[in-house]
Amino acid sequence: MATTAQLFEEPFDADEYIERLAWRTPGGGSKGGAEAFDPKKLLEEFVNHIEELKQLDERIQRKVEKLEQQCHREAKEFAHKVQDLQRSNQVAFQHFQELDEHISYVATKVCHLGDQLEGVNTPRQRAVEAQRLMTYFNEFLDGELRSDVFNNPDKIKEAADIIQKLHLITCVYLKGKYHDLERQLIQEFTAAQRRGEIGRMREVAAVLLHFKGYAHCVDVYIKQCQEGAYMRNDVFEDIAILCQRVNKQVGEVFCSPETVMAKLIQSIFENRIQAHVKERLEETHFNLGSDKHTFLSKLIKNIFSCYLESYIDMERQYLQNRSGLILQRYYDSKNHQKRPVGTGSMQELKERIRQRTNLPLGPSIDTHGETFLSQEVVVNLLQETRHAFERCNKLSDPADLPKNAFSIFLLLVEYLCVDHIDYALEIGLSAIPSPDAKNANLYFLDVVQQLLSLRFDKQFNDHLMPLISSSPKLTECLHKKKEVIEQMEVKLDTGIDRTLNCMIGQMKHILVTEQKKTDFKPEDENNVMIQYTTACSKVCAYVSKQVERVRRSMDGKNVDTVLTELGVRFHRLIHEHLQQFSYSSMGGMLAICDVAEYRRSAKDFRVPLVLQLFDTLHALCNLLVVAPDNLKQVCSGEQLTNLDRNLLHAFVQLRVDYRSARLGRHFS
């Protein structure tokens, strides 16, 4: 049989085998030799050799059967071990789920408890602070400062804070009552003057003497004195009669009649006489010299000087009222009550927990698709501010023009940028759902889209810049503008980042729900159609919608920046998702088909980096199906040669034949 074994060495050829057997048989050669050709010996040798081959076949068959039985036995034992491991894994997974639910429950309880503690602690702190301030206030009333905070030089800051709060409290409560009583006294004085009750006028004037509104009382008296006083054709005769009548009366009413008479004479000159002179000059066209217009303009300006001195205060008050009314009408039309922006340590703790975990910390705000940004509101606010800048340019003293213009600009920042735009951003941030929310509404992109459509640089350049360009206020304005824009950009970046997290969360939810382990390790390898899986199809459809939505919501380089970030996160999600499965030969082909479909979706991003990442992922998936002997060649290809060796090995380990085919030796 040793001879027979030698005859079966590779490569085996039947004709050569017969020739070699005949050649080795004495008398079997076709050309004779030492012995002549003997067909009987050759036949006998063939018969004996056939018997030996049959015996050899039987022994090999018995050995094969024995090995097959051993293989079946070991396969059953391995299957039992796998089932035990699966049961253990299922138990561990159930324990993990219970632990995760318990953690979520505890976290929710902690946050709820924190809310309750904050709700209880805040009134308590306010009550304690109020009691403390009352104690200090009593010390001031007693005239003896006993507390250490007022006697210790090291606590001067704390003492200053207490004094400031006490001063504010007293000013707030006394100021309102002060003005209210002052207004009532002036009304009483006016009514008494109309009734001609000199005694009552004298009493009220004596009380008002110690109020700041005493001057206003005098002004009201002078104004009412002149009502109906100019009835004759001769204005000077009317003035003389008025002065005689008032001169007698002011001595009975006011303690300083000379001051009241002086104000009356000033009022008569600045109002009635100046108007009479102007009227006469214009009627007769007197020649006032070459400086006629300057002379008249000075006279007219003097008439309005009292108003021009306090112009900016009136302008600011008017602009505040108009701007507040515009905003209030808008929010009323939306049936929206402006909510305070959340602040405080507990709110910050919630935000940090939400950002670092996916725990539900209460429902997000439902805005019903409303962005709370209005192009009409912006236009109206800019229009009001433009008119204010025009009035400021005409009515301000040249020395005060830059300061007044900057004051108007600050009001624009307050009502447009803070009260409207920044408020909409805060609402948008609060409305962003957590990444694990199902069917999340990515409403913040609508806020971004509408915000980018609001342009107010023209107001700054066309109306504000000419008024401050040659003053130190220019630097202050530019700094304020930069500060406001940077604050908006930070909130936009935060909102977009969290919105991208929501998109990835939606994709992850689809993959977890739709992707099955049998997708990449089918039970029947021969009846699998080569196409992408259901999970892949739904993810790609979702990605396509989000890419289009990003393009609609943004413009310029913002689109490429956001799509690059979304594409990188999308690639990372798919890369990590594929590493959760093991792949048969046909399953590997399905994975390649899925990645090819993901790559087609990546083309919609129009970002070279994203497409390159998916090209590399597609090349990595080829490691799931290539023959073991070709692994080294594939790994040294153009797309994989620069990748980390451990990454390549990790993908090869996903193959179901990794251990049986001893693929690890290709990476040794």
Side-chain angles (χ1 to χ4, degrees), residues 592-608:
I592 291 176
C593 292
D594 274 5
V595 174
E597 191 66 18
Y598 291 135
R599 185 170 60 175
R600 274 192 285 272
S601 293
K603 291 181 180 179
D604 295 336
F605 287 75
R606 303 174 196 168
V607 177

Side-chain angles (χ1 to χ4, degrees), residues 118-131:
E118 186 177 25
V120 172
N121 189 49
T122 300
R124 179 180 174 276
Q125 288 180 340
R126 291 175 179 172
V128 171
E129 178 68 14
Q131 183 183 21

Side-chain angles (χ1 to χ4, degrees), residues 142-340:
D142 295 340
E144 182 180 357
L145 301 180
R146 298 178 297 275
S147 298
D148 180 61
V149 67
F150 298 120
N151 300 306
N152 190 342
D154 296 333
K155 295 184 178 181
I156 187 170
K157 291 185 178 179
E158 185 179 352
D161 180 65
I162 294 172
I163 294 298
Q164 190 272 336
K165 289 180 179 178
L166 290 175
H167 179 265
L168 180 62
I169 292 172
T170 55
C171 286
V172 169
Y173 285 96
L174 294 179
K175 185 177 181 180
K177 192 62 178 176
Y178 180 94
H179 288 300
D180 185 56
L181 287 174
E182 186 179 68
R183 178 180 52 81
Q184 292 181 17
L185 288 170
I186 293 175
Q187 290 177 349
E188 178 63 22
F189 181 88
T190 303
Q193 183 181 1
R194 288 175 178 170
R195 294 193 300 268
E197 298 176 358
I198 303 300
R200 183 58 179 164
M201 292 171 61
R202 181 171 56 253
E203 293 176 2
V204 176
V207 176
L208 278 171
L209 181 62
H210 305 289
F211 282 77
K212 295 179 181 179
Y214 179 74
H216 183 59
C217 173
V218 173
D219 293 337
V220 170
Y221 173 78
I222 291 173
K223 180 180 178 181
Q224 287 197 161
C225 284
Q226 299 181 70
E227 292 179 357
Y230 307 111
M231 306 296 294
R232 299 175 178 81
N233 293 329
D234 188 350
V235 65
F236 297 104
E237 184 179 353
D238 289 335
I239 292 173
I241 296 174
L242 172 64
C243 290
Q244 291 173 359
R245 176 171 58 85
V246 172
N247 185 49
K248 179 181 179 181
Q249 192 177 74
V250 295
E252 300 175 358
V253 175
F254 298 99
C255 61
S256 54
E258 65 281 359
T259 304
V260 179
M261 284 301 300
K263 281 196 171 185
L264 174 62
I265 298 300
Q266 181 182 0
S267 175
I268 292 172
F269 269 85
E270 291 180 350
N271 293 282
R272 187 61 186 138
I273 294 179
Q274 193 164 21
H276 177 73
V277 171
K278 179 181 177 182
E279 179 182 355
R280 294 295 182 178
L281 289 175
E282 290 181 352
E283 284 180 358
T284 56
H285 299 281
F286 288 153
N287 183 8
L288 300 178
S290 59
D291 203 20
K292 168 186 175 182
H293 296 290
T294 304
F295 174 71
L296 293 178
S297 65
K298 286 182 178 180
L299 292 176
I300 296 173
K301 188 173 183 179
N302 289 334
I303 297 175
F304 298 99
S305 59
C306 60
Y307 301 100
L308 295 177
E309 289 174 358
S310 60
Y311 153 72
I312 192 60
D313 296 329
M314 291 185 289
E315 184 67 73
R316 283 177 51 82
Q317 185 64 44
Y318 173 81
L319 192 56
Q320 287 175 337
N321 294 338
R322 287 293 301 166
S323 300
L325 181 61
I326 291 171
L327 289 177
Q328 190 60 46
R329 284 177 177 174
Y330 169 73
Y331 293 119
D332 289 346
S333 69
K334 300 295 182 181
N335 293 323
H336 175 72
Q337 181 68 35
K338 291 191 72 174
R339 57 188 296 271

Side-chain angles (χ1 to χ4, degrees), residues 438-650:
K438 298 179 181 178
N439 301 320
N441 182 14
L442 305 181
Y443 145 89
F444 192 81
L445 290 180
D446 296 334
V447 178
V448 176
Q449 180 182 7
Q450 196 158 355
L451 178 59
L452 292 178
S453 66
L454 304 178
R455 307 291 185 185
F456 46 87
D457 280 346
K458 182 176 176 61
Q459 180 82 294
F460 185 88
N461 296 328
D462 292 353
H463 299 99
L464 176 61
M465 288 294 290
L467 306 181
I468 63 171
S469 58
S470 58
S471 74
K473 286 293 181 181
L474 175 61
T475 302
E476 197 171 350
C477 275
L478 293 175
H479 176 74
K480 184 65 177 179
K481 178 186 176 186
K482 180 182 178 182
E483 178 185 356
V484 171
I485 292 176
E486 286 178 350
Q487 290 175 353
M488 291 182 186
E489 288 177 346
V490 168
K491 293 184 179 181
L492 282 173
D493 290 344
T494 302
I496 292 173
D497 180 74
R498 290 172 58 183
T499 300
L500 294 182
N501 285 340
C502 287
M503 292 181 182
I504 298 301
Q506 295 296 296
M507 299 179 205
K508 187 175 182 179
H509 175 71
I510 294 172
L511 292 173
V512 171
T513 305
E514 301 293 337
Q515 196 86 75
K516 301 176 178 59
K517 292 185 177 180
T518 55
D519 286 348
F520 302 117
K521 196 166 59 175
E523 297 178 357
D524 189 354
E525 294 273 333
N526 298 323
N527 292 328
V528 177
M529 299 296 294
I530 303 298
Q531 59 182 0
Y532 46 84
T533 62
T534 303
C536 172
S537 175
K538 291 186 177 182
V539 168
C540 290
Y542 179 83
V543 170
S544 178
K545 291 180 181 178
Q546 302 315 313
V547 170
E548 182 60 29
R549 189 169 186 182
V550 170
R551 293 192 184 281
R552 290 198 310 267
S553 302
M554 302 177 192
D555 56 7
K557 294 183 179 180
N558 295 325
V559 176
D560 293 336
T561 302
V562 174
L563 288 182
T564 299
E565 183 63 24
L566 176 60
V568 171
R569 297 187 189 185
F570 174 37
H571 166 266
R572 186 186 306 124
L573 173 68
I574 300 303
H575 186 277
E576 294 173 353
H577 173 72
L578 292 175
Q579 290 184 316
Q580 299 177 12
F581 301 90
S582 58
Y583 300 83
S584 64
S585 177
M586 185 57 66
M589 293 300 297
L590 280 171
I592 291 176
C593 292
D594 274 5
V595 174
E597 191 66 18
Y598 291 135
R599 185 170 60 175
R600 274 192 285 272
S601 293
K603 291 181 180 179
D604 295 336
F605 287 75
R606 303 174 196 168
V607 177
L609 173 61
V610 177
L611 189 58
Q612 179 184 352
L613 289 174
F614 277 95
D615 286 341
T616 303
L617 183 60
H618 188 269
L620 281 171
C621 289
N622 288 330
L623 299 177
L624 302 174
V625 297
V626 298
D629 293 335
N630 295 333
L631 277 174
K632 284 189 176 181
Q633 180 182 356
V634 174
C635 290
S636 61
E638 179 180 355
Q639 291 181 319
L640 301 181
T641 185
N642 294 325
L643 295 183
D644 185 80
R645 199 75 172 171
N646 294 328
L647 177 60
L648 301 177
H649 197 183

